[in-house]
Amino acid sequence: MPGTANFDTREHRFANVAALTEALALEITGTLQDGLAAGRGASLAVPGGRTPIALFEKLARAELDWDDVWVTLTDERWVDATSPSSNEKLVRDHLLREAAAEAHFVGLKNAAAEAHSGAHLSWSTVAELPRPFDFMLLGMGEDGHVASLFPDSPGLAVALDLSQPPGCVAMTAPEPPRARMSLNMRALLDSRRIAVLIVGNAKWATYERARVRGPAVDMPVRALLQQQNVPVSVYWSP
């Protein structure tokens, strides 16, 4: 019978979103400060969605040398950057403001008509950031997807294959806007620290299912949890 995998995942559970936001903001700013202190610049990759908005607004006020910080996305909807569906727009509206307005931002959307044809250019811009990424912040869906690595998306097995070079891959979401661009698993793992931000009991139940060994193509978050090379922390609140 499959059992719970022996993962070295650090679980941080909080009574509410406010406490989670405070703790995770401190973790991220501390990690970025370490990168800045090393004199190499610092890099932060973030997801879209509504869940990290409070965190973004907290980070925007952090006292950092933001002009030496590079921010990019874990994934993007293949829409114009002014669209309400755009992750870039969300990050610009909620993170790249106040003190953090000085940060350098590199988006994934480009002028290519389709995500497939824009993947190489998307990665060529992200690849110039300080890497490994100092901090990789990820969300997780109730289906176990991370970034835009969705179960049943064409090309998912290749996107999860760690023998592939780091890069961007075109993915298909189960709901509109379906065309997505995502960092592949190799690129996500090219990080010094990884945190998965999840809110709500349904997503905690998904996480617990993902901790049971099984195919990563069924629940892509397993690919993060099953590897032992990069520290992964899970931050959860109801």
Side-chain angles (χ1 to χ4, degrees), residues 76 78 110 112-120 122 169-171 179-181:
E76 179 61 279
W78 206 248
N110 54 54
E114 298 181 351
H116 285 281
S117 55
H120 178 76
S122 293
V169 289
M171 289 280 110
R180 305 290 178 94
M181 185 68 73

Side-chain angles (χ1 to χ4, degrees), residues 26-232:
L26 286 173
E27 177 75 10
I28 292 172
T29 54
T31 302
L32 295 179
Q33 186 59 58
D34 288 345
L36 294 171
R40 61 174 181 265
S43 52
L44 170 66
V46 298
R50 309 303 297 177
T51 301
I53 285 178
L55 175 64
F56 288 168
E57 293 180 346
K58 182 79 172 177
L59 288 173
R61 300 188 294 273
E63 294 184 2
L64 281 174
D65 292 330
W66 284 104
D67 58 347
D68 286 326
V69 175
W70 296 81
V71 179
T72 192
L73 293 163
T74 63
D75 61 310
E76 179 61 279
R77 298 169 173 89
W78 206 248
V79 296
D80 189 84
T82 61
S83 167
S85 298
S86 167
N87 288 343
E88 177 174 336
K89 183 178 189 306
L90 182 123
V91 169
R92 290 188 182 280
D93 287 349
H94 297 283
L95 174 57
L96 302 177
R97 49 188 290 187
E98 300 186 57
E102 299 299 316
H104 306 276
F105 178 76
V106 174
L108 298 183
K109 179 65 171 68
N110 54 54
E114 298 181 351
H116 285 281
S117 55
H120 178 76
L121 179 57
S122 293
W123 178 247
S124 69
T125 56
V126 173
E128 296 300 317
L129 272 64
R131 290 192 295 133
F133 298 106
D134 287 277
F135 204 99
M136 175 68 61
L137 178 66
L138 291 163
M140 184 196 72
E142 290 185 23
D143 60 357
H145 81 264
V146 289
S148 280
L149 304 179
F150 293 95
D152 300 321
S153 179
L156 177 63
V158 174
L160 295 176
D161 184 355
L162 297 184
S163 70
Q164 296 291 316
C168 288
V169 289
M171 289 280 110
T172 303
E175 57 188 36
R178 299 191 70 198
R180 305 290 178 94
M181 185 68 73
S182 180
L183 300 186
N184 65 9
M185 186 55 63
R186 181 65 184 81
L188 296 177
L189 291 175
D190 188 15
S191 306
R192 291 184 167 86
R193 298 294 301 274
I194 298 174
V196 183
L197 169 61
I198 55 179
V199 173
N201 291 324
K203 288 190 177 182
W204 182 259
T206 296
Y207 164 69
E208 290 194 314
R209 291 196 304 274
R211 292 184 71 247
V212 177
R213 287 199 182 275
V217 291
D218 293 343
M219 301 183 78
V221 69
R222 281 183 174 141
L224 288 177
L225 302 178
Q226 291 175 357
Q227 57 82 36
Q228 299 292 326
N229 296 321
V230 185
V232 175

